[in-house]
Protein backbone atom coordinates (compact mmCIF):
# COMPACT_ATOMS: atom_id res chain seq x y z
CA UNK A 1 0.00 0.00 0.00
CA UNK A 2 1.23 3.47 -0.83
CA UNK A 3 1.84 5.60 2.24
CA UNK A 4 0.93 8.23 2.96
CA UNK A 5 -2.44 7.75 1.34
CA UNK A 6 -2.13 10.76 -0.97
CA UNK A 7 -2.78 10.62 -4.70
CA UNK A 8 -2.42 13.11 -7.57
CA UNK A 9 -5.23 12.75 -10.14
CA UNK A 10 -5.90 14.20 -13.57
CA UNK A 11 -7.98 13.60 -16.68
CA UNK A 12 -9.31 15.01 -19.90
CA UNK A 13 -12.98 15.57 -20.74
CA UNK A 14 -13.46 12.02 -22.07
CA UNK A 15 -12.73 10.53 -18.66
CA UNK A 16 -14.38 12.96 -16.24
CA UNK A 17 -17.06 10.44 -15.26
CA UNK A 18 -14.58 7.62 -14.58
CA UNK A 19 -12.34 10.05 -12.68
CA UNK A 20 -15.26 11.16 -10.48
CA UNK A 21 -16.09 7.52 -9.70
CA UNK A 22 -12.47 6.83 -8.74
CA UNK A 23 -12.16 9.98 -6.61
CA UNK A 24 -15.34 9.14 -4.70
CA UNK A 25 -14.01 5.63 -4.06
CA UNK A 26 -10.61 6.93 -2.95
CA UNK A 27 -12.04 9.51 -0.57
CA UNK A 28 -14.44 6.94 0.89
CA UNK A 29 -11.38 4.81 1.66
CA UNK A 30 -9.43 7.56 3.39
CA UNK A 31 -7.27 8.84 0.54
CA UNK A 32 -6.33 12.51 0.23
CA UNK A 33 -6.95 13.39 -3.43
CA UNK A 34 -5.46 16.36 -5.30
CA UNK A 35 -7.06 16.87 -8.72
CA UNK A 36 -4.71 18.41 -11.31
CA UNK A 37 -7.27 18.46 -14.12
CA UNK A 38 -7.05 21.85 -15.83
CA UNK A 39 -10.21 23.21 -17.43
CA UNK A 40 -9.75 26.06 -19.93
CA UNK A 41 -12.81 27.44 -21.72
CA UNK A 42 -14.67 24.18 -21.04
CA UNK A 43 -11.84 22.04 -22.46
CA UNK A 44 -9.55 19.68 -20.62
CA UNK A 45 -6.37 18.84 -22.51
CA UNK A 46 -4.76 15.54 -21.58
CA UNK A 47 -1.14 16.77 -21.91
CA UNK A 48 -1.64 19.35 -19.17
CA UNK A 49 -2.98 16.80 -16.69
CA UNK A 50 -0.35 14.25 -17.70
CA UNK A 51 2.50 16.70 -17.20
CA UNK A 52 1.11 17.98 -13.89
CA UNK A 53 0.68 14.52 -12.35
CA UNK A 54 3.94 13.25 -13.87
CA UNK A 55 5.81 16.16 -12.27
CA UNK A 56 4.08 15.79 -8.88
CA UNK A 57 4.73 12.05 -8.64
CA UNK A 58 8.14 12.10 -10.33
CA UNK A 59 9.41 14.78 -7.95
CA UNK A 60 8.11 12.91 -4.90
CA UNK A 61 5.41 15.41 -3.92
CA UNK A 62 2.90 12.53 -4.18
CA UNK A 63 3.69 8.82 -3.80
CA UNK A 64 1.21 7.79 -6.49
CA UNK A 65 -0.91 9.17 -9.32
CA UNK A 66 -4.00 8.35 -11.36
CA UNK A 67 -4.54 9.60 -14.91
CA UNK A 68 -7.41 9.04 -17.33
CA UNK A 69 -8.01 10.19 -20.90
CA UNK A 70 -9.98 8.86 -23.88
CA UNK A 71 -7.52 6.05 -24.65
CA UNK A 72 -4.99 6.54 -21.87
CA UNK A 73 -2.17 6.67 -24.42
CA UNK A 74 -1.53 10.39 -24.80
CA UNK A 75 -1.73 11.14 -21.10
CA UNK A 76 0.72 8.27 -20.41
CA UNK A 77 3.22 9.72 -22.86
CA UNK A 78 3.00 13.16 -21.23
CA UNK A 79 3.41 11.79 -17.69
CA UNK A 80 6.37 9.61 -18.62
CA UNK A 81 8.33 12.64 -19.82
CA UNK A 82 9.05 13.42 -16.15
CA UNK A 83 12.02 11.80 -14.42
CA UNK A 84 10.87 9.39 -11.74
CA UNK A 85 7.36 9.03 -13.17
CA UNK A 86 6.48 5.51 -14.29
CA UNK A 87 2.99 5.76 -15.76
CA UNK A 88 1.42 2.49 -16.91
CA UNK A 89 -1.71 2.09 -19.00
CA UNK A 90 -3.77 -0.70 -17.44
CA UNK A 91 -6.87 -2.29 -18.97
CA UNK A 92 -7.36 -4.95 -16.32
CA UNK A 93 -6.63 -5.96 -12.74
CA UNK A 94 -3.98 -8.32 -14.11
CA UNK A 95 -2.14 -5.45 -15.83
CA UNK A 96 -2.34 -3.35 -12.66
CA UNK A 97 -0.92 -6.14 -10.52
CA UNK A 98 1.89 -6.91 -12.97
CA UNK A 99 3.00 -3.31 -13.46
CA UNK A 100 3.21 -2.71 -9.71
CA UNK A 101 4.90 -6.05 -9.00
CA UNK A 102 7.41 -5.95 -11.89
CA UNK A 103 7.79 -2.27 -12.90
CA UNK A 104 7.15 -0.38 -9.65
CA UNK A 105 4.78 1.86 -11.63
CA UNK A 106 3.73 4.87 -9.60
CA UNK A 107 1.04 6.29 -11.90
CA UNK A 108 -1.98 4.26 -12.97
CA UNK A 109 -3.43 5.25 -16.34
CA UNK A 110 -6.82 4.10 -17.58
CA UNK A 111 -8.92 4.98 -20.62
CA UNK A 112 -12.20 6.81 -20.34
CA UNK A 113 -13.61 5.62 -23.66
CA UNK A 114 -11.66 2.54 -24.73
CA UNK A 115 -12.66 -0.93 -23.60
CA UNK A 116 -11.30 -2.12 -20.29
CA UNK A 117 -11.74 -5.61 -18.89
CA UNK A 118 -12.46 -4.75 -15.27
CA UNK A 119 -14.10 -1.73 -13.65
CA UNK A 120 -11.89 1.33 -13.09
CA UNK A 121 -12.36 1.04 -9.32
CA UNK A 122 -11.33 -2.63 -9.32
CA UNK A 123 -8.22 -1.85 -11.36
CA UNK A 124 -7.40 1.06 -9.05
CA UNK A 125 -7.77 -1.09 -5.93
CA UNK A 126 -5.40 -3.75 -7.29
CA UNK A 127 -2.86 -1.12 -8.35
CA UNK A 128 -2.89 0.57 -4.94
CA UNK A 129 -2.73 -2.65 -2.94
CA UNK A 130 0.05 -4.39 -4.89
CA UNK A 131 3.59 -3.97 -3.61
CA UNK A 132 6.68 -3.87 -5.82
CA UNK A 133 8.35 -7.28 -5.54
CA UNK A 134 11.72 -5.53 -5.27
CA UNK A 135 13.57 -8.69 -6.26
CA UNK A 136 16.95 -7.95 -7.82
CA UNK A 137 15.74 -8.95 -11.30
CA UNK A 138 12.88 -6.42 -11.21
CA UNK A 139 14.80 -3.72 -9.30
CA UNK A 140 17.61 -3.86 -11.89
CA UNK A 141 15.09 -3.40 -14.69
CA UNK A 142 13.41 -0.47 -12.96
CA UNK A 143 16.84 1.18 -12.59
CA UNK A 144 17.27 0.67 -16.33
CA UNK A 145 13.93 2.42 -16.99
CA UNK A 146 15.08 5.48 -15.04
CA UNK A 147 18.68 5.35 -16.33
CA UNK A 148 19.37 3.68 -19.71
CA UNK A 149 23.07 3.37 -18.75
CA UNK A 150 22.30 1.36 -15.60
CA UNK A 151 23.20 -2.31 -15.51
Amino acid sequence: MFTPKRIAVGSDHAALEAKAECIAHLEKNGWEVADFTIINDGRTDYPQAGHAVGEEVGSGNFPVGLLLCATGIGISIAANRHHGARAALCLSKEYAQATRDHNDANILVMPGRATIYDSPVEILDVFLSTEFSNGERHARRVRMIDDPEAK
Side-chain angles (χ1 to χ4, degrees), residues 1 5 22-32 121 125:
M1 173 73 60
K5 290 173 68 170
C22 289
I23 288 174
H25 178 73
L26 288 162
E27 290 176 340
K28 178 181 151 195
N29 287 286
W31 284 79
E32 176 189 333
V121 168
D125 281 346

Side-chain angles (χ1 to χ4, degrees), residues 76 87-100 105 107-111 115-118 123 127:
S76 298
L89 176 60
C90 295
L91 305 177
S92 70
K93 295 182 292 187
E94 179 183 14
Y95 287 17
Q97 186 276 327
T99 197
R100 283 290 306 131
I107 302 173
L108 171 62
V109 183
M110 293 185 286
T115 301
I116 60 175
Y117 306 107
D118 298 304
I123 295 169
F127 185 87

Side-chain angles (χ1 to χ4, degrees), residues 19-83:
K19 182 186 71 168
E21 178 185 0
C22 289
I23 288 174
H25 178 73
L26 288 162
E27 290 176 340
K28 178 181 151 195
N29 287 286
W31 284 79
E32 176 189 333
V33 178
D35 190 349
F36 290 90
T37 302
I38 299 167
I39 301 174
N40 291 320
D41 298 323
R43 288 191 350 233
T44 55
D45 295 316
Y46 67 83
Q48 290 178 304
H51 284 300
V53 172
E55 176 64 26
E56 290 293 326
V57 174
S59 68
N61 290 335
F62 284 82
V64 65
L66 169 64
L67 289 168
L68 303 102
C69 77
T71 64
I73 298 168
I75 209 163
S76 298
I77 293 169
N80 279 320
R81 298 232 180 238
H82 298 272
H83 182 74

